[in-house]
Amino acid sequence: MNIHEYQAKALFEKFGVPVPKGVAAKSPAEFASALAQLPDAPVVVKSQIHAGGRGKGTFTDGFKGGVKFAKTKTDALDYANKMFGNTLVTIQTGPAGRKVQTIYFTHASDIKKEYYLAILLDRVTSRPVIVASTEGGVEIEKVAHDTPEKIFKIVIDPAYGIADFQVRELIAKLGLAGSEAKNAAKLIRNLYTCFWETDAAMIEVNPLITTPTGDVLALDAKVSFDSNALYRHPEIVALRDLNEEDPKEIEASKFSLSYIALDGNIACLVNGAGLAMSTMDIIKHYGGTPANFLDVGGGASKDQVIAAFKIILGDPNVKGILVNIFGGIMDCNVIATGIVEAVKEVGLKLPLVVRLEGNNVAAGKATLANSGLALVSGDTMADAAQKIVKLVA
Amino acid sequence: MSILITPQTKILVQGITGDFGGRHAKLSLDYGTQLVAGVTPGKGGLFFEHGTHKVPIFNSVAEAVAATGATVAVVYVPPPFAGDAILEGVDAGLDLVVAITEGIPIKDMIRVKRAITGKKTRLIGPNCPGLVTPGTGKDSFGGCRIGIAPGYIHKKGHVGVVSRSGTLTYEAVFQLTSKGIGQSTAVGIGGDPVNGTSHLDVIKLFNEDPDTHGIILIGEIGGNAEVEAARWIKAHSKKPVAGFIAGATAPAGRRMGHAGAIVGGHEDTAEAKIAVFKECGIEVAVTPSDMADALLRSAKAKGVTLS
């Protein structure tokens, strides 16, 4: 689960991670009172959406920059009005972009130097890793590619937690000394505590800055949480912003379906994530384009299949559907009956290819064949994929 | 003959009194698996009954092991308690703990993995379908089925299958069985980012097993586990190996940050992994329907008989 920058910074403050003073506004009516809470000095106006690359993003009406430096509060108000309700497209949003529904005003800090700091899981060691760089405020992938020697990592032993010597080592590599070093050490320790205690999946601060007065601040904040651990963090669940999620995905999650919308025109409905991914792959292999990823899980009950069809059909690009179920334990005939009922209930008009395999498959195929529906049966994944690609061509 | 488990292996079930654990315990009993004990704290002394089977339930893993000689545990307990259940099996000195539970917090698994480092117990999973060593009976019955895989699709034989994904494992096994090619053991290592046993761990076991003549390695986008396994295969294995990577068309991810890319490295895309497979002499399945055929191509090129 992702949260907004302004929410992440409130969380940082709770854990003693310094951030520039800032106030969020959820409607234009709140802009003036929000700005009044900031000192009379330059302000940074920041669009709040769940995607990176905001600064270099462009709004659909042509306005450039989802993050703006404003010399005066009057300018800040003007920028905020241009951003609010507008749709911001960044390298991470996809071409559809995201509608800006919250503006975050922050005090514009004096920057001495920018750094990069992140905490996440290192899959190789199965331990948390802190990643830092002297090159902040830029694309970190580019730094990692061009100058890997400027990226430093410390892996944390979960049995002990973050050790002082590791923090000292990291700070020395970043070239920090004096009060900067002291402040950075405290910030890194507190940020790690925040990561660990909240079951965060990833925290990224880009940039982390030093100021001319020796302060160290998190100028930006991206935080995502392990969805498996949300049950023990109701305070974090309360930060969820449904505006940032695809309504179809929200609907899918109510039926324990895992759905991700894509750009193609062949919808798929599959049991199991690995099989669902490879069903998309095989559609592509035979010249089609998948409209979605949809995993109905191990069960594939009638209610789930009906819900899945409704969600799929909510996408106007869909021209055909491929159902691929490996009913290992589940009775294929139960699944087939569910598919037939679902098709009748939603009044499906589009081409439908069904590939069923597994337990009691002969009865399942007979149910499909005798349903009177215009569905096509596929024997293997390859056969089914070729058939649906041909039908929508 | 197989890896990790044999038809004689004695299994205990943690979470046998739950719906999910109970259902799969019954299927394993039907398959002929030596399921000798259940463990549910507070329900010791009761029995899990299914047909003619009467499986004793114990309050702790240690008690179950002492009474029955079980060497392997399968964990079905709900996510908040699953980490604890795994540690209990490790503490009891089991050879193998198979965690089926889906949805265990990553932090719990980070701590569990650290705690079991250096212990004799191997962990498979979590969030995995488990493993099957097929038996000699009809539809492979009489084998050892641990977890949630359909037993009947298997056939006793000489191909090892390893995958993160349950249904893709079944797909590969089904393709093999349909062509009359049996399996030594099929292992689902699970889809979570922190798991007990890697692709490479299983590949090494298959490579050492004289009864495994060929291997199907199924991977996915993300991480570098398949790359690591492929490089090891190139250096150490002479057995025919077929590989498939799922997720070539998956969207680049709706991630917010960039840190994953620098930690993950540049070999975590399907394209990169497939390139490494080819470079390491692994026969790549062009589509998921091609997994068994890819292994047959590799076996033919190496002059190895699979059945």
Side-chain angles (χ1 to χ4, degrees):
Chain A
M1 188 195 107
N2 296 329
I3 59 173
H4 288 295
E5 175 197 0
Y6 78 94
Q7 297 169 320
K9 284 186 172 169
L11 193 67
F12 281 9
E13 285 194 291
K14 211 168 114 190
F15 281 89
V17 174
V19 299
K21 184 167 172 54
V23 184
K26 292 187 175 181
S27 76
E30 296 172 26
F31 289 167
S33 62
L35 281 165
Q37 293 175 56
L38 294 178
D40 258 327
V43 172
V44 182
V45 185
K46 308 182 92 170
S47 304
Q48 299 292 288
I49 57 168
H50 286 183
R54 290 172 298 164
K56 287 182 184 155
T58 303
F59 289 90
T60 44
D61 68 354
F63 183 66
K64 283 197 190 312
V67 175
K68 286 285 201 185
F69 175 84
K71 274 187 191 159
T72 66
K73 287 186 177 175
T74 315
D75 289 352
L77 195 61
D78 181 43
Y79 287 140
N81 280 315
K82 283 183 171 131
M83 292 175 187
F84 191 88
N86 207 343
T87 299
L88 180 60
V89 180
T90 80
I91 49 164
Q92 288 190 7
T93 60
R98 292 275 175 81
K99 191 173 173 187
V100 177
Q101 301 181 65
T102 303
I103 301 288
Y104 188 45
F105 298 103
T106 70
H107 172 64
S109 308
D110 287 332
I111 299 172
K112 183 178 160 195
K113 181 168 167 54
E114 296 180 302
Y115 300 83
Y116 175 90
L117 182 64
I119 309 178
L120 68 159
L121 171 73
D122 176 29
R123 287 175 62 142
V124 175
T125 57
S126 295
R127 294 177 179 195
V129 61
I130 300 181
V131 182
S133 174
T134 48
E135 310 303 298
V138 294
E139 271 179 57
I140 199 67
E141 288 102 326
K142 197 165 153 46
V143 178
H145 184 263
D146 298 346
T147 49
E149 70 281 2
K150 288 180 178 169
I151 303 239
F152 313 109
K153 296 175 192 174
I154 54 173
V155 175
I156 309 301
D157 183 338
Y160 184 83
I162 188 167
D164 282 335
F165 80 90
Q166 291 183 300
V167 177
R168 287 197 299 271
E169 179 190 307
L170 192 63
I171 279 169
K173 282 179 176 162
L174 292 175
L176 297 170
S179 65
E180 284 180 0
K182 204 171 134 234
N183 289 330
K186 195 174 160 204
L187 182 147
I188 291 169
R189 286 191 143 279
N190 290 346
L191 196 69
Y192 181 76
T193 306
C194 176
F195 172 84
W196 189 249
E197 294 302 321
T198 63
D199 277 288
M202 189 209 68
I203 292 181
E204 187 179 53
V205 178
N206 190 20
L208 175 83
I209 60 152
T210 51
T211 69
T213 50
D215 290 327
V216 184
L217 300 174
L219 214 61
D220 193 13
K222 289 191 180 70
V223 179
S224 62
F225 299 95
D226 173 13
S227 52
N228 289 351
L230 287 175
Y231 72 88
R232 53 191 179 203
H233 298 288
E235 78 288 358
I236 285 164
V237 175
L239 301 176
R240 186 173 174 191
D241 181 356
L242 294 178
N243 289 329
E244 289 291 325
E245 297 175 32
D246 184 330
K248 295 203 287 287
E249 290 173 23
I250 297 170
E251 185 63 18
S253 66
K254 288 181 193 159
F255 292 89
S256 305
L257 304 168
S258 172
Y259 172 90
I260 297 171
L262 300 168
D263 303 332
N265 59 9
I266 298 176
C268 30
L269 189 166
V270 189
N271 66 333
L275 197 63
M277 273 201 287
S278 25
T279 303
M280 288 157 44
D281 295 346
I282 201 166
I283 288 171
K284 186 84 181 264
H285 179 80
Y286 287 112
T289 53
N292 64 277
F293 167 93
L294 199 162
D295 171 15
V296 294
S301 71
K302 181 190 132 193
D303 288 348
Q304 278 187 311
V305 176
I306 290 174
F309 274 139
K310 285 183 177 166
I311 290 161
I312 284 171
L313 295 172
D315 176 351
N317 295 328
V318 170
K319 297 281 179 286
I321 301 175
L322 172 57
V323 174
N324 181 19
I325 304 283
F326 199 108
I329 301 295
M330 281 281 298
D331 185 330
C332 281
N333 197 28
V334 173
I335 296 169
T337 308
I339 292 170
V340 170
E341 288 180 29
V343 169
K344 285 180 178 163
E345 185 168 328
V346 303
L348 185 70
K349 301 275 190 296
L350 300 173
L352 170 66
V353 175
V354 180
R355 184 264 180 153
L356 269 184
E357 196 50 80
N359 193 10
N360 202 17
V361 66
K365 284 188 175 174
T367 298
L368 294 176
N370 300 330
S371 65
L373 298 174
L375 55 79
V376 178
S377 193
D379 286 331
T380 63
M381 280 178 78
D383 180 45
Q386 283 168 288
K387 281 176 175 162
I388 190 68
V389 169
K390 206 170 161 193
L391 283 167
V392 301
Chain B
M1 52 183 299
S2 61
I3 64 165
L4 297 164
I5 51 168
T6 73
Q8 286 73 44
T9 304
K10 289 181 178 172
I11 317 292
L12 68 86
V13 179
Q14 290 171 269
I16 199 166
T17 50
D19 284 349
F20 187 55
R23 180 151 54 96
H24 285 287
K26 287 175 186 170
L27 289 165
S28 286
L29 286 167
D30 291 342
Y31 194 62
T33 300
Q34 304 300 308
L35 203 156
V36 297
V39 174
T40 300
K43 295 200 173 160
L46 301 176
F47 290 89
F48 179 82
E49 299 189 38
H50 175 57
T52 57
H53 301 284
K54 205 174 171 194
V55 180
I57 298 174
F58 298 87
N59 284 320
S60 73
V61 174
E63 283 173 34
V65 168
T68 65
T71 56
V72 173
V74 54
V75 174
Y76 293 104
V77 306
F81 317 107
D84 185 74
I86 295 168
L87 290 179
E88 190 183 353
V90 173
D91 187 66
L94 294 171
D95 293 335
L96 177 66
V97 172
V98 182
I100 306 302
T101 310
E102 180 180 355
I104 304 178
I106 293 171
K107 183 163 86 177
D108 294 8
M109 282 313 303
I110 289 174
R111 294 164 69 204
V112 165
K113 182 137 185 177
R114 174 66 176 87
I116 68 174
T117 304
K119 300 284 171 70
K120 66 171 274 207
T121 309
R122 172 185 293 283
L123 171 67
I124 290 185
N127 188 16
C128 78
L131 53 167
V132 175
T133 288
T136 49
K138 180 179 182 289
D139 291 337
S140 81
F141 280 51
C144 184
R145 169 188 181 271
I146 299 177
I148 58 175
Y152 69 91
I153 61 170
H154 294 77
K155 174 183 162 69
K156 188 173 168 52
H158 306 288
V159 173
V161 179
V162 58
S163 167
R164 282 185 180 278
S165 149
T167 40
L168 265 183
T169 311
Y170 313 158
E171 181 73 40
V173 166
F174 183 78
Q175 285 173 24
L176 289 167
T177 299
S178 301
K179 291 177 189 297
I181 304 166
Q183 305 88 41
S184 50
T185 305
V187 185
I189 57 172
D192 279 7
V194 176
N195 63 7
T197 295
S198 69
H199 279 98
L200 177 57
D201 295 332
V202 179
I203 293 288
K204 284 179 178 171
L205 295 170
F206 279 138
N207 197 47
E208 284 161 16
D209 174 29
D211 214 32
T212 297
H213 300 170
I215 302 166
I216 294 184
L217 166 61
I218 305 170
E220 292 174 8
I221 46 168
N224 70 341
E226 296 86 352
V227 167
E228 177 194 51
R231 297 238 155 91
W232 189 91
I233 286 167
K234 186 183 182 186
H236 299 99
S237 181
K238 294 188 169 62
K239 295 186 180 182
V241 182
F244 176 70
I245 297 290
T249 48
R254 297 167 301 171
R255 61 204 167 86
M256 281 169 75
H258 301 259
I262 35 174
V263 172
H266 300 287
E267 288 179 332
D268 72 343
T269 62
E271 211 175 24
K273 286 185 182 185
I274 289 166
V276 173
F277 274 14
K278 285 182 176 161
E279 168 200 321
C280 294
I282 294 171
E283 180 70 25
V284 174
V286 205
T287 73
S289 281
D290 185 43
M291 292 189 285
D293 286 328
L295 184 62
L296 282 168
R297 291 196 296 273
S298 178
K300 195 178 172 196
K302 296 197 174 189
V304 173
T305 311
L306 294 173
S307 51

